[in-house]
Amino acid sequence: MVASLRHYEGHPLPCTVTLKSSILRSVKPVVFMLACLPVMIFTINRYLIRDLSIDLGEGNCKWTESFPLPLDSDPLGTLVASYPGGGMRVTWQQLEGLTGIQVGDDYEYSGKRVGMIKTQWPHYEGIWSYGSTLDQVIYVIRNPRWAIPSFHHILSEINYGQEWGEVFPYLSSVFTQRAPMENWIKWRDLKFEEEINLWAWHIDYYMEEGSQYWDDLDFERVGQKPFFFNTEDMKPWPKNVHCITDIDCSPKAVVSYEKLRKHGTGPIELRKMAEALRGKRGMTVISDEAIDCVWFETFIHAKAPNNDNRDHHGNAKEAYHFTIDQMQIITNKLQFMKDKYSSGEWENNAVAQDLVLAFDDYIAEVGEELLYLQANPPPTPAPNAAYNDELVSWYETVGAGNRYARDKVRQMNGYWPLVANLYNETA
C-alpha cells in the first residue's frame, strides 16, 4: 500500500510512505516520524529542498539544490543501514553532499529505484519496503554507549507511541529535548540487555549476510513472548530471505559515526562511501579532491534538525549514564565483537578490520568511563524484588508494552491460526 497525501488514523500524511510486510502491520512510528519529519514540521521550502555541494575544481565546492533521481532511472542501489540512534542523519547529509542525489527512506519508499535508501532494518524500528531494488550496503556504526540513549530520546519525544495516532500529537517535540531522567532509568533497566544484543546482532546481520536472530513468525522482530531471540550458542542462525534473494547484504564499507563528525577523520570516512559509490551505474560522485570541501560545507550548511538541537534544553547527553554492571556488559560485548571480527575468516577482511578499529575506540572510551564509575560509584537503590514487574507495567502504560498480547493477536485472522498453539490454544 502506498499512501501519498492521504489519511491514516484520521490524520493527514503530508509525505509519501510505503507500508509493506508479509503480515499486515501498523506503521513503525519512530522511523516513520523521522522519514516524514522535514515535511510534517517544517513547511518552509528550505527544509524541503536540501542544499548540496558541487565540484568547482581544485578542491573547491559550492552548494546547490539536491534532487531525486529521475523516475526512469536505473541506478545501482545502495542501502545505508544503522542501528537506531546510530548517526544516520549526519550520514545521509554527507551522502547527499557527495552525490547530489537525495537519499530515500524505507518508510517513504516510492517503489522506484532511487539510488540510496536509509534504514534501521532488521531492528524493529526498520522495515524492508524496497524489495530487490537495491544492490549493495554501506554500514554506519556508533558506540552503543551513545547510540542506545539516543534511540531512547526519540522514543521519549514521541511518548513511546506505536501507532500513528499515538505519535502524531508529539511530532513537534522531536529533536527538542532529551528524555526525562526518570524515564531513561526505567527504560534503560528494562530494555538494556535486549538493546545491547540488538546493536551487536544488527552488525552481524549484515556482516554474516543475513544472520536472522528472530523467528519467522515474530513479524515485529521484538523477541517478546511467545517468541524469543536466537542466542549465540544457537549459531549458525538461518539466513534471512532478503539477503538471499534481494540484495548482497555484505557491507562494501563501514563508516564510523564518531569519525565522520571529526574534522581530522571525517573526510576519510566520506571517501569510504565515495569509493563504494564511484563508478556505479547511475551514480554521480564528486571528485576526490573536493571531498574535504564537501565534508566541511555539509556540516556548515545542513539545516535538518539533529541531536545537537537537544543541547538547548534539559540535560546534556553526558548525564545519561549506565550502571556499573551495564557498562561492564557493554565492554564485554565490544570485546566479544572485536575478538570475533579480528580472527578467523574476518582476519583479512578490510571491512571487518574497520569494524575492529571502531571497537577499539569504543572499548577505550567505555573503559575510561567505567574506571571512573568504579572509583566514584553512584548511589544504588535498595533491592526490590518487584522492580522488573514495575518496569513492565510502566512500559505498558506509555504505549510500548506487549506487542503480542493474546487479545491483540486473536484479532489477526490470518495470523492467529499460525500462533495459537504458542498461547496454548487452538485456532
Side-chain angles (χ1 to χ4, degrees):
M1 169 183 174
V2 177
S4 179
L5 299 178
R6 297 179 184 175
H7 289 72
Y8 181 80
E9 297 280 338
H11 297 288
L13 301 186
C15 66
T16 301
V17 60
T18 302
L19 309 179
K20 289 186 178 179
S21 177
S22 57
I23 300 173
L24 183 62
R25 59 195 295 185
S26 61
V27 179
K28 299 288 191 188
V30 173
V31 182
F32 173 80
M33 172 275 303
L34 288 174
C36 300
L37 181 62
V39 181
M40 293 176 181
I41 301 177
F42 303 102
T43 58
I44 302 174
N45 187 55
R46 62 188 177 132
Y47 284 99
L48 301 181
I49 300 177
R50 301 168 185 154
D51 291 334
L52 299 167
S53 48
I54 58 175
D55 187 5
L56 296 179
E58 298 183 356
N60 297 312
C61 60
K62 181 179 180 180
W63 286 73
T64 63
E65 295 179 5
S66 64
F67 296 96
L69 289 172
L71 294 179
D72 60 351
S73 297
D74 183 30
L76 184 136
T78 299
L79 183 65
V80 189
S82 74
Y83 171 88
M88 183 63 76
R89 183 165 294 268
V90 168
T91 305
W92 68 249
Q93 289 169 344
Q94 289 288 345
L95 276 170
E96 290 188 344
L98 184 70
T99 64
I101 299 169
Q102 287 185 358
V103 177
D105 188 278
D106 52 3
Y107 271 87
E108 56 180 355
Y109 178 62
S110 65
K112 304 293 184 180
R113 294 185 70 94
V114 297
M116 296 176 288
I117 294 283
K118 56 187 176 71
T119 190
Q120 278 77 43
W121 172 275
H123 191 275
Y124 55 82
E125 292 299 345
I127 184 173
W128 194 283
S129 61
Y130 26 85
S132 57
T133 63
L134 302 171
D135 305 281
Q136 65 175 12
V137 173
I138 292 175
Y139 194 85
V140 184
I141 188 173
R142 185 183 185 186
N143 191 337
R145 163 63 183 92
W146 303 108
I148 293 173
S150 182
F151 171 41
H152 177 252
H153 295 322
I154 286 285
L155 290 175
S156 173
E157 287 170 327
I158 60 170
N159 200 35
Y160 307 91
Q162 295 184 56
E163 311 292 340
W164 171 245
E166 298 168 349
V167 173
F168 185 81
Y170 300 98
L171 288 179
S172 61
S173 300
V174 174
F175 289 114
T176 60
Q177 60 184 354
R178 297 183 175 93
M181 190 60 64
E182 179 183 4
N183 287 358
W184 157 246
I185 293 172
K186 290 177 180 178
W187 184 88
R188 176 199 71 187
D189 290 350
L190 178 65
K191 303 288 284 184
F192 167 73
E193 290 192 20
E194 174 184 310
E195 291 300 331
I196 189 61
N197 283 328
L198 289 174
W199 176 86
W201 294 340
H202 200 276
I203 296 169
D204 288 345
Y205 176 85
Y206 289 99
M207 292 297 293
E208 295 176 348
E209 300 182 65
S211 283
Q212 182 172 311
Y213 54 82
W214 68 95
D215 187 277
D216 282 333
L217 289 172
D218 180 7
F219 66 92
E220 295 274 9
R221 304 183 306 285
V222 293
Q224 290 182 349
K225 291 183 180 179
F227 306 107
F228 58 87
F229 288 136
N230 294 329
T231 58
E232 289 291 334
D233 58 6
M234 296 169 64
K235 282 191 171 180
W237 297 339
K239 298 293 186 182
N240 181 246
V241 64
H242 293 304
C243 295
I244 298 173
T245 64
D246 293 334
I247 189 174
D248 176 7
C249 284
S250 180
K252 298 301 179 286
V254 165
V255 176
S256 162
Y257 166 75
E258 292 82 5
K259 290 179 180 178
L260 185 61
R261 285 184 60 94
K262 294 179 180 178
H263 183 269
T265 54
I268 296 173
E269 298 301 294
L270 191 55
R271 283 186 172 89
K272 290 183 188 177
M273 294 192 281
E275 289 307 308
L277 298 172
R278 185 172 282 120
K280 299 300 191 297
R281 184 181 71 249
M283 299 302 296
T284 56
V285 180
I286 206 164
S287 71
D288 187 74
E289 66 177 0
I291 284 180
D292 288 72
C293 177
V294 167
W295 179 89
F296 181 78
E297 292 295 320
T298 297
F299 273 113
I300 293 297
H301 296 290
K303 299 182 177 69
N306 57 47
N307 286 331
D308 295 338
N309 293 84
R310 296 189 177 111
D311 292 335
H312 303 306
H313 305 283
N315 298 312
K317 71 173 185 177
E318 292 80 8
Y320 295 84
H321 296 290
F322 291 95
T323 67
I324 291 176
D325 287 344
Q326 289 166 348
M327 289 293 283
Q328 186 63 61
I329 290 172
I330 293 175
T331 299
N332 294 344
K333 181 65 71 176
L334 290 168
Q335 188 64 52
F336 173 82
M337 297 295 281
K338 174 188 174 180
D339 291 345
K340 172 179 179 175
Y341 286 107
S342 59
S343 61
E345 64 180 302
W346 304 108
E347 191 171 3
N348 297 315
N349 183 304
V351 172
Q353 296 318 298
D354 279 346
L355 279 175
V356 170
L357 291 175
F359 296 147
D360 277 333
D361 291 342
Y362 301 162
I363 289 169
E365 183 180 12
V366 173
E368 183 177 347
E369 184 177 351
L370 178 57
L371 286 175
Y372 176 83
L373 290 174
Q374 290 170 334
N376 304 274
T380 56
N384 178 3
Y387 183 53
N388 191 71
D389 291 338
E390 293 170 0
L391 295 179
V392 171
S393 297
W394 165 76
Y395 204 47
E396 289 177 350
T397 66
V398 296
N402 185 2
R403 302 192 187 198
Y404 293 118
R406 184 191 307 265
D407 291 344
K408 178 179 178 180
V409 175
R410 284 179 67 94
Q411 305 305 310
M412 302 178 185
N413 294 332
Y415 181 62
W416 175 247
L418 302 175
V419 299
N421 64 305
L422 302 177
Y423 294 81
N424 296 319
E425 294 189 23
T426 57

